[in-house]
Amino acid sequence: MNSTITKSAGMGAIIDDGTVTFRVWAPNADKVFVAGSFNNWSKSEIPLEIEENGYWSVVTDKASSGDEYKYFVEYNGKLLPRNDPYAFEVTNSNGNSVVRSLDYEWDDTDFKMPSWNKLVIYELHVGTFNRSSPDAVGTFENVIEKLDYLKGLGINCIELLPVAEFAGGISWGYNPAHPFAIEQDYGGPDGFAKLVNEAHKKGIAVIMDVVYNHFGPSDVDLW
């Protein structure tokens, strides 16, 4: 870690010009550390500095895109491992957070969403809509395979049941564990971006069910 590196604004793991700024809200913590594949998971090597209003942050040139990490929160003499509530990707709902940017190469720039009163919406559940077998979990790629079929029905918008990372691989999605990460079994953030991109190229808007009034009940590091 180089103390002269400037921290980036924002929450979570923010990549900027060869550095990563980690920032988390932990108002009751005594100390906070970040550990990951970039420092052999040392729980004490990289401490975060306290900021105002319960925020903690640090900038390091050791971490980079693709690295896995967790915060270790010291509270009442205990060191508690916690995933980043702002992680854009996790290995799974009770795995590790992943440092990543959202730099998908879009080619849907001409798409314009129809006005609300002209939307014809088809709601679908990614996990079961077009799965390859009864025992498999459907993916964003499976949905892409059916976009022409959906367009032929006369719809111009698909609404996805919640796709935020949830516990297990089979769920309707109403038990979110990581609100900013996309369900890994569906294809993760890259798979989701590809679905949106391909839908837009066919003139199909994408809207999402979201769950903000509850989380869990399991794999919830937000607690």
Side-chain angles (χ1 to χ4, degrees):
M1 182 174 62
N2 185 338
S3 60
T4 63
I5 303 174
T6 302
K7 294 178 183 177
S8 297
M11 298 295 295
I14 308 103
I15 303 172
D16 183 20
D17 195 24
T19 69
V20 178
T21 298
F22 294 94
R23 183 172 286 106
V24 67
W25 187 66
N28 298 317
D30 299 318
K31 296 178 182 178
V32 181
F33 304 87
V34 64
S37 53
F38 47 85
N39 71 341
N40 294 315
W41 292 96
S42 170
K43 300 174 184 177
S44 59
E45 181 185 4
I46 304 180
L48 277 66
E49 302 167 346
I50 192 166
E51 299 178 328
E52 295 180 349
N53 300 320
Y55 294 96
W56 299 74
S57 69
V58 68
V59 60
T60 178
D61 54 11
K62 291 187 175 183
S64 58
S65 180
D67 283 337
E68 297 180 17
Y69 70 100
K70 273 188 175 177
Y71 294 117
F72 285 84
V73 180
E74 186 174 308
Y75 174 71
N76 279 352
K78 296 180 180 179
L79 198 60
L80 308 171
R82 293 290 184 268
N83 270 304
D84 187 345
Y86 273 86
F88 292 142
E89 182 176 6
V90 292
T91 56
N92 57 70
S93 61
N94 62 356
N96 299 320
S97 303
V98 180
V99 178
R100 64 160 299 140
S101 60
L102 300 179
D103 54 357
Y104 186 84
E105 293 187 12
W106 303 93
D107 55 9
D108 63 343
T109 51
D110 293 332
F111 176 77
K112 290 181 175 59
M113 185 173 178
S115 60
W116 290 108
N117 63 336
K118 293 183 179 180
L119 287 181
V120 181
I121 302 171
Y122 185 107
E123 186 173 21
L124 65 87
H125 174 239
V126 174
T128 56
F129 171 67
N130 185 39
R131 53 186 172 183
S132 57
S133 76
D135 298 322
V137 176
T139 66
F140 297 123
E141 194 67 43
N142 295 147
V143 178
I144 291 172
E145 294 168 1
K146 299 285 280 186
L147 287 176
D148 285 332
Y149 162 79
L150 291 169
K151 188 175 179 66
L153 295 178
I155 64 99
N156 59 14
C157 179
I158 55 176
E159 179 176 357
L160 306 181
L161 268 67
V163 299
E165 184 74 38
F166 49 75
I170 300 175
S171 170
W172 293 116
Y174 292 97
N175 58 325
H178 299 277
F180 293 95
I182 300 294
E183 173 60 33
Q184 200 66 262
D185 285 337
Y186 289 171
D190 289 326
F192 175 62
K194 182 179 179 183
L195 169 59
V196 173
N197 192 61
E198 295 301 317
H200 284 180
K201 288 195 293 183
K202 295 181 183 297
I204 300 173
V206 181
I207 59 178
M208 301 169 64
D209 284 359
V210 293
V211 183
Y212 295 136
N213 63 333
H214 70 273
F215 296 98
S218 59
D219 300 352
V220 187
D221 283 345
L222 278 167
W223 290 123

